């Protein structure tokens, strides 16, 4: 499916914007100096896919300064008649996705064809993959950034992952509050240990499957991007609580929480759980960040993003939309070429300060110039 048009009201710098796109594979390039609202457009599109800002901002901060609400509306058209569309996209008519945030009431509302739905029913009907400059530094930024990558991606794809993560975080917050308050009632902790274990088992299974997929495909994907074959073993190391028998995950998770109870009381926080997970790319057993060149590191990141898209395609019956936020300045010419070849297979939205990056590109594309919160298409 494709995004055919986008309407924004009071969204960041855009008081009222209507923009149309060619519903086909190819590039939609937004050119402007920094500070003109390029990233705002990609953020709006991504919110139709997953209702949380990839910039880690609260909705209050997204709303136009002079307004009390914002609205994002996207018209979606199926890719072609041969696609196996999701149930909500069974026919070939254009469908409408719409979300509204009321700043005064602190309320979000979600609609498909103007029928109001809960957020979990809104999610997953339109998939996008975001690629930002921060992704280039994923293995420098630390475990929090990598858990965010896992959580955002898997939550947008699997509703039970999203619900389990919300439940886990809620119960973790309660357990940590008990630890900070010095509560020692073991019966009370047993209740929350059980709840954490139930949610953690679901989250761990999804994360493990994704990591296994990366391990199976990372080396070949890296080599195809680099154009050469490394003579070193490439592996993804997943640091997480791993029981000896996965069928006993919940039991052993609870046992380990009990073993760590005195430590948790001392540190006033829960030291074991999926909120401590991490993953790293290894070359011959060494973390890539420790000795890889800048170019090699970027090749690994590109491979990760390519595999993210390929993994997603296993679970949906259409091609996702790609959102590339000013990443071309981070890449050399060889890696820009590889990214363009990959992106041309999808409807892709790109922000850049330099149109020159695409001078040699001969595929399908639209170019838009942004100035003072207005957008003009170039012929």
């Amino acid at each position: 499916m494709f995004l055919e048009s986008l309407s924004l009201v009071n969204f960041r710098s855009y008081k009222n914007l209507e923009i149309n796109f060619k519903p086909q594979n190819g590039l939609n390039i937004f050119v402007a100096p920094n500070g003109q609202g390029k990233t705002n457009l990609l953020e709006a599109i991504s919110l139709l896919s997953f209702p949380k800002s990839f910039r880690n901002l609260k909705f209050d901060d997204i709303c136009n300064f002079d307004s009390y609400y914002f609205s994002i509306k996207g018209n979606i058209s199926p890719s072609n008649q041969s696609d196996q569309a999701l149930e909500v996209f069974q026919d070939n008519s254009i469908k409408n996705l719409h979300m509204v945030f009321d700043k005064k009431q602190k309320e979000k509302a979600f609609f498909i064809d103007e029928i109001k739905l809960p957020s979990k029913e809104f999610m997953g009907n339109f998939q996008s993959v975001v690629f930002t400059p921060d992704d280039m530094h994923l293995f420098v930024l630390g475990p929090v950034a990598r858990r965010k990558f896992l959580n955002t991606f898997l939550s947008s794809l699997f509703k039970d992952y999203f619900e389990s993560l919300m439940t886990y975080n809620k119960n973790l917050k309660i357990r940590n509050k008990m630890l900070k308050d010095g509560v020692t009632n073991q019966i009370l902790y047993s209740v929350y240990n059980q709840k954490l274990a139930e949610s953690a088992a679901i989250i761990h299974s999804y994360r493990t499957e994704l990591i296994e997929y990366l391990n199976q495909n990372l080396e070949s994907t890296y080599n195809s991007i680099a154009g050469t074959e490394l003579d070193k073993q490439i592996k993804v190391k997943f640091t997480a609580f791993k029981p000896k028998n996965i069928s006993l995950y919940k039991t052993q998770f609870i046992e380990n929480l009990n073993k760590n109870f005195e430590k948790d009381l001392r540190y006033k926080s829960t030291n074991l759980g999926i909120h401590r997970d991490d993953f790293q790319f290894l070359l011959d057993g060494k973390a890539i960040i420790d000795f890889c060149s800048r170019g090699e590191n970027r090749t690994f990141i590109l491979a990760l993003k390519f595999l993210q898209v390929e993994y997603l395609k296993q679970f949906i019956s259409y091609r996702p939309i790609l959102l590339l936020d000013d990443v071309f300045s981070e890449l050399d010419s060889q890696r820009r070429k590889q990214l363009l070849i990959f992106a041309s297979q999808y409807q892709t939205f790109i922000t850049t300060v330099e149109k020159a990056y695409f001078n040699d590109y001969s595929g399908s594309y639209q170019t838009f110039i942004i100035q003072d919160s207005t957008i003009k298409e170039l012929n």
Side-chain angles (χ1 to χ4, degrees), residues 114-127:
E114 302 308 326
I115 299 173
K116 190 174 182 180
L117 298 169
S119 61
K120 65 180 182 180
E121 298 300 325
F122 183 83
M123 287 164 39
N125 289 296
F126 170 74
Q127 289 285 354

Side-chain angles (χ1 to χ4, degrees), residues 129-351:
V129 174
V130 184
F131 191 6
T132 74
D134 280 349
D135 292 322
M136 289 294 186
H137 311 288
L138 191 63
F139 295 103
V140 179
L141 294 174
V144 172
R146 292 187 286 277
R147 283 194 295 272
K148 179 189 172 186
F149 168 81
L150 293 174
N151 289 335
T152 301
F153 177 49
L154 293 173
S155 291
S156 70
L157 188 53
F158 304 110
K159 291 177 182 177
D160 53 342
Y161 183 96
F162 175 73
E163 291 171 350
S164 297
L165 184 64
M166 295 299 102
T167 301
Y168 182 92
N169 287 336
K170 181 182 74 173
N171 289 311
L172 179 65
K173 185 177 181 180
I174 294 171
R175 190 179 192 273
N176 283 342
K177 177 68 165 56
M178 289 163 56
L179 291 167
K180 288 176 183 177
D181 292 344
V183 175
T184 58
N185 187 321
Q186 295 283 3
I187 296 176
L188 189 56
Y189 279 102
S190 68
V191 173
Y192 288 99
N193 290 352
Q194 178 68 35
K195 291 180 178 180
L196 287 174
E198 290 172 357
S199 300
I202 296 170
I203 294 165
H204 179 76
S205 66
Y206 279 117
R207 288 181 178 178
T208 300
E209 287 180 11
L210 175 58
I211 296 298
E212 287 176 354
Y213 176 84
L214 295 178
N215 264 321
Q216 291 167 6
N217 297 280
L218 180 60
E219 187 168 331
S220 60
T221 304
Y222 178 96
N223 290 335
S224 68
I225 295 171
T228 58
E229 290 196 15
L230 285 174
D231 57 357
K232 299 176 181 178
Q233 183 190 47
I234 301 176
K235 183 177 175 60
V236 184
K237 180 183 178 182
F238 184 36
T239 306
F241 167 70
K242 299 172 185 175
K244 295 177 181 178
N245 187 333
I246 194 63
S247 66
L248 298 176
Y249 183 94
K250 296 177 189 177
T251 301
Q252 293 185 9
F253 186 93
I254 292 170
E255 287 175 357
N256 278 268
L257 283 175
N258 290 333
K259 287 178 184 178
N260 279 274
F261 181 61
E262 293 300 327
K263 180 181 177 181
D264 290 350
L265 274 177
R266 280 199 312 274
Y267 287 93
K268 300 186 184 300
S269 66
T270 305
N271 289 279
L272 178 143
I274 56 95
H275 60 289
R276 302 288 188 182
D277 288 358
D278 193 10
F279 70 96
Q280 288 283 352
F281 286 175
L282 306 180
L283 269 181
D284 282 349
K286 297 179 182 178
I288 61 167
I289 194 60
D290 293 336
F291 68 96
C292 278
S293 69
R294 181 183 175 93
E296 287 172 328
N297 184 66
R298 273 148 174 65
T299 305
F300 273 107
I301 297 298
L302 280 178
L304 174 63
K305 299 306 290 188
F306 287 10
L307 289 175
Q308 180 184 354
V309 176
E310 293 301 319
Y311 188 76
L312 175 61
K313 284 163 59 179
Q314 295 181 104
F315 300 97
I316 60 176
S317 54
Y318 56 93
R319 289 175 180 258
I321 285 173
L322 306 189
L323 307 174
L324 311 182
D325 183 28
D326 200 22
V327 295
F328 283 83
S329 60
E330 298 274 346
L331 302 171
D332 59 26
S333 59
Q334 168 63 19
R335 290 170 181 83
R336 283 198 294 267
K337 179 181 178 181
Q338 291 296 324
L339 182 53
L340 282 172
I341 291 171
F342 185 78
S344 66
Q345 304 171 64
Y346 305 87
Q347 186 184 31
T348 301
F349 298 87
I350 300 173
T351 64

